[in-house]
Amino acid sequence: MRKIIAPLFALVFAASSCWKNKSPEDLPRLKEAFKKQVETFEKDKITTNENVTKSLESLNGLKGALEEAKNEDKEFAKVYGNWEKVNKRVEDLNKEYEDLKSKAEGLFTAMETQTNSLSDAKSKADLTQAIKSARVKYNGTLANTAKAIGKLRVLHKDAVDVVKALEVAVALNSFDNINAQLESIEGRVDGIMEELNVAVEESKKLYDQRIDELN
């Protein structure tokens, strides 16, 4: 079945590529728009990861800097500033995610509409099932991506809470329990970024037309 579905699915794209702008559902344009959005999302993911990594480094260095009696206000301002950048990157990433979801929906809808217009009943049935399977799997990926972005928001909030706790700890001259909180925040980053990587990988499979890998 997979051997049959893959060529048929590719045939829709091949035919629409030949038609170029004459394609009834404008599949070439929609596919290219989706591809560019995937690339934009991937770039934003990388930038967000870099911002989180930098902010973790400043957060981990803050306790030591405070213990060495460096300028406290300056150190706190630097860390708060870094995490504010993280918050902005997370919101930007979420915007690109929403655009990705919208463009994917447009692409799927166009494929379904064009498939429904086919005269050959078997081709129509096979392609409809293939598109349905791909949509279900990709919608699952999108849902997990939304959850990962939500985790980044929580990570930002928890990191800021740690900095606030450190400000109180400075006043009390007690840093008990802060180390465990720092380790917890750092340990969550890799898992979140891996979830976002899955979104990029599955999106690339979709626009590369490898429907057999999506079934």
Side-chain angles (χ1 to χ4, degrees), residues 40-144:
T40 300
F41 181 80
E42 183 175 25
K43 289 177 183 176
D44 263 23
K45 177 196 71 70
I46 292 171
T47 303
T48 302
N49 188 31
E50 291 171 349
N51 273 256
V52 170
T53 300
K54 180 180 179 181
S55 298
L56 283 173
E57 290 172 354
S58 66
L59 183 59
N60 288 330
L62 177 59
K63 180 172 175 287
L66 294 175
E67 289 175 334
E68 292 172 10
K70 293 181 180 179
N71 187 311
E72 294 173 2
D73 291 338
K74 181 180 178 181
E75 296 298 330
F76 277 116
K78 181 175 71 175
V79 176
Y80 275 126
N82 283 337
W83 281 100
E84 183 57 34
K85 290 178 183 176
V86 169
N87 184 55
K88 182 180 184 305
R89 292 310 313 177
V90 172
E91 294 310 314
D92 287 348
L93 186 68
N94 185 64
K95 178 183 178 300
E96 298 304 338
Y97 159 76
E98 292 295 338
D99 287 345
L100 181 70
K101 183 167 66 171
S102 175
K103 286 180 171 60
E105 179 60 29
L107 181 60
F108 275 118
T109 299
M111 287 191 293
E112 289 168 345
T113 301
Q114 187 156 313
T115 297
N116 288 333
S117 71
L118 296 177
S119 299
D120 184 77
K122 187 176 187 309
S123 294
K124 183 188 292 188
D126 287 344
L127 282 169
T128 297
Q129 183 56 45
I131 294 170
K132 181 179 179 181
S133 296
R135 182 191 274 273
V136 168
K137 181 169 184 180
Y138 192 66
N139 282 347
T141 298
L142 288 175
N144 289 335

Side-chain angles (χ1 to χ4, degrees), residues 22-39:
K22 295 180 181 179
S23 174
E25 301 309 329
D26 206 6
L27 284 175
R29 180 185 64 79
L30 290 168
K31 183 189 170 190
E32 185 61 25
F34 176 67
K35 179 179 179 180
K36 288 181 178 178
Q37 188 58 37
V38 174
E39 292 170 351

